[in-house]
């Protein structure tokens, strides 16, 4: 077991369905291996405040089906400073915590990487974000649940769009990546999908509408990623309204409902796998790495690669979406 006797676990950044399943996986794998476990409340802020809670097996009972995170999450500007990280280190040492599992996204891993460059307590990351935009893993916790939430909502919007011959711009999450928009657009039969990764002709809404007119389409669903350079769904709808004044246009912003809800079976199983793998990585003396899933198998990716390299959308799916919208 080496030097690892007690580990901490925290959730940081935006919450995502399945984080609780990961916490459960970490806690019970650690206990199975004879380790002590400490839950750290409110992410890195809890590390600075020494907000620690001893975890037992019963501490994670009846949480696998719950959205959000029982450990809470928060942004922490203080952890960006050397002084803040020093205070966090001192608190970890005083609590005799030998390693930390961080469940979060790019920002969380950047903080963990900086910490590991300065101090001797190893950090291992688990990708937790509904955006599915972290390099080195096919999957991030919460993506599958969020995607299904969007599909269910858009299916209902489609009903009223068809009933009233309306055009709906539906804005989904994805500040810097279009994974939710692309997959939900294909799954719901959207007439157009607008994501940050597409430029020029590939995002020509006017052309799409004109082609739809020739095919006698009476209603349209346009999925827009919130981070798109066009300014989001409202800005795009205003522009289209000025060009096609006869269209009855509506906008629906799905917002934070995409973050909530009971996690899907896929999110529960994969989060449990990643929680287990993170503890195993610490036992094996790994540090400054993320555990991910590639081609169905657990993989280890250095934080420096996970946060510095961009994960692109599948371009064949972009082409598929275009073909299926005719």
């Amino acid at each position: 077991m080496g030097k690892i006797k007690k580990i901490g676990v925290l959730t940081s950044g935006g919450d995502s369905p399945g984080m609780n399943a990961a916490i459960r996986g970490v806690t019970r794998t650690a206990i199975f291996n004879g380790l002590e476990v400490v839950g750290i409340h409110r992410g890195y802020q809890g590390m600075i405040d020494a907000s620690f809670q001893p975890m037992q097996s019963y501490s994670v009972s009846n949480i696998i089906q719950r959205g959000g995170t029982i450990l809470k999450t928060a942004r922490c500007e203080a952890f960006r400073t050397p002084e803040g990280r020093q205070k966090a280190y001192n608190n970890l040492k005083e609590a005799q915590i030998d390693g930390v599992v961080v469940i979060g996204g790019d920002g969380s891993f950047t903080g963990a990487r900086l910490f590991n460059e300065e101090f001797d307590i190893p950090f291992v990351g688990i990708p937790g974000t509904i955006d599915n935009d972290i390099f080195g893993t096919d999957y991030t916790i919460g993506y599958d649940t969020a995607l299904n939430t969007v599909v269910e909502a858009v299916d209902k919007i489609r009903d009223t769009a068809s009933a009233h011959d309306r055009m709906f711009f539906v804005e989904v999450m994805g500040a810097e990546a279009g994974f939710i928009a692309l997959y939900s657009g294909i799954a719901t039969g959207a007439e157009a999908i607008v994501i940050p990764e597409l430029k020029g002709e590939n995002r020509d809404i006017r052309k799409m509408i004109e082609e739809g007119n020739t095919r006698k389409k009476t209603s349209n669903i346009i999925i827009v990623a919130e981070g798109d350079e066009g300014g989001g769904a409202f800005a795009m709808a205003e522009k289209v309204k000025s060009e096609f004044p006869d269209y009855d246009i509506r906008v629906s912003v799905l917002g934070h409902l995409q973050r909530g809800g009971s996690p899907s079976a896929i999110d529960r199983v994969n989060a449990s796998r990643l929680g287990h793998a993170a503890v195993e990585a610490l036992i094996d003396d790994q540090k400054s790495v993320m555990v991910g899933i590639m081609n169905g198998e657990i993989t280890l990716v250095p934080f420096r690669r996970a946060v510095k390299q961009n994960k692109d959308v599948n371009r064949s799916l972009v082409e598929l979406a275009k073909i299926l919208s005719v």
Side-chain angles (χ1 to χ4, degrees):
M1 217 79 75
K3 63 182 179 181
I4 301 293
K5 300 297 182 184
K6 182 189 290 189
I7 67 172
V9 57
L10 63 88
T11 50
S12 177
D15 63 298
S16 59
M19 281 186 165
N20 284 325
I23 294 168
R24 178 178 178 269
V26 168
T27 300
R28 292 195 169 169
T29 300
I31 291 171
F32 177 84
N33 284 283
L35 307 180
E36 294 182 66
V37 192
V38 172
I40 302 171
H41 291 277
R42 300 184 307 282
Y44 291 129
Q45 188 63 53
M47 200 178 292
I48 290 173
D49 296 339
S51 184
F52 302 149
Q53 170 194 347
M55 304 282 280
Q56 310 298 330
S57 182
Y58 63 78
S59 303
V60 293
S61 295
N62 200 33
I63 68 168
I64 195 170
Q65 79 281 9
R66 292 170 56 184
T69 162
I70 63 167
L71 293 178
K72 308 292 186 182
T73 182
R75 307 292 179 183
C76 182
E77 291 300 320
F79 198 76
R80 297 175 184 270
T81 68
E83 295 79 13
R85 293 191 294 275
Q86 180 68 58
K87 187 173 182 181
Y89 174 76
N90 294 342
N91 289 335
L92 292 175
K93 292 298 285 186
E94 185 174 347
Q96 298 182 315
I97 294 173
D98 305 311
V100 177
V101 175
V102 179
I103 306 168
D106 278 349
S108 305
F109 295 165
T110 297
R113 181 190 173 198
L114 282 172
F115 189 94
N116 274 169
E117 289 174 351
E118 298 168 342
F119 303 108
D120 60 358
I121 297 177
F123 277 47
V124 170
I126 295 176
T129 167
I130 66 169
D131 292 335
N132 198 34
D133 60 347
I134 297 179
F135 180 85
T137 181
D138 293 333
Y139 164 87
T140 63
I141 293 172
Y143 172 65
D144 186 69
T145 304
L147 188 58
N148 281 285
T149 297
V150 171
V151 168
E152 182 180 358
V154 174
D155 284 348
K156 293 177 179 179
I157 291 171
R158 171 79 74 178
D159 290 342
T160 190
S162 298
H164 293 272
D165 292 341
R166 284 174 174 159
M167 175 183 290
F168 267 87
F169 285 79
V170 182
E171 183 176 292
V172 300
M173 282 188 167
E176 298 178 357
F179 292 92
I180 291 176
L182 178 59
Y183 277 73
S184 65
I186 293 173
T188 58
E191 280 68 34
I193 303 168
V194 184
I195 58 178
E197 293 87 346
L198 297 186
K199 312 294 181 185
E201 282 190 17
N202 288 322
R203 46 177 295 115
D204 191 341
I205 301 300
R206 181 185 181 90
K207 181 179 178 182
M208 177 278 299
I209 295 172
E210 290 172 343
E211 289 178 350
N213 286 340
T214 66
R215 298 189 299 273
K216 302 294 190 289
K217 289 196 174 185
T218 58
S219 66
N220 291 279
I221 297 290
I222 301 170
I223 305 290
V224 182
E226 65 179 348
D228 182 75
E229 63 185 18
F234 278 103
M236 297 194 69
E238 285 296 320
K239 185 174 185 297
V240 169
K241 184 66 175 176
S242 66
E243 296 176 346
F244 298 89
D246 293 336
Y247 266 85
D248 189 0
I249 297 175
R250 295 289 188 274
V251 177
S252 183
V253 178
L254 299 186
H256 283 79
L257 69 86
Q258 295 162 85
R259 288 197 185 278
S262 181
S264 67
I266 287 176
D267 274 329
R268 298 183 197 193
V269 172
N270 282 341
S272 299
R273 292 179 67 195
L274 291 170
H276 169 264
V279 174
E280 292 291 330
L282 283 173
I283 292 173
D284 291 340
D285 294 326
Q286 298 289 338
K287 67 176 287 188
S288 202
V289 296
M290 174 193 77
V291 292
I293 298 177
M294 290 287 283
N295 300 316
E297 299 297 328
I298 295 294
T299 184
L300 297 180
V301 183
F303 281 150
R304 61 179 175 78
R305 291 186 63 207
V307 302
K308 282 191 173 183
Q309 294 186 241
N310 292 324
K311 179 179 176 180
D312 195 12
V313 295
N314 188 328
R315 296 292 165 163
S316 66
L317 290 182
V318 173
E319 185 62 25
L320 175 63
K322 186 187 302 182
I323 292 169
L324 297 181
S325 68
V326 300

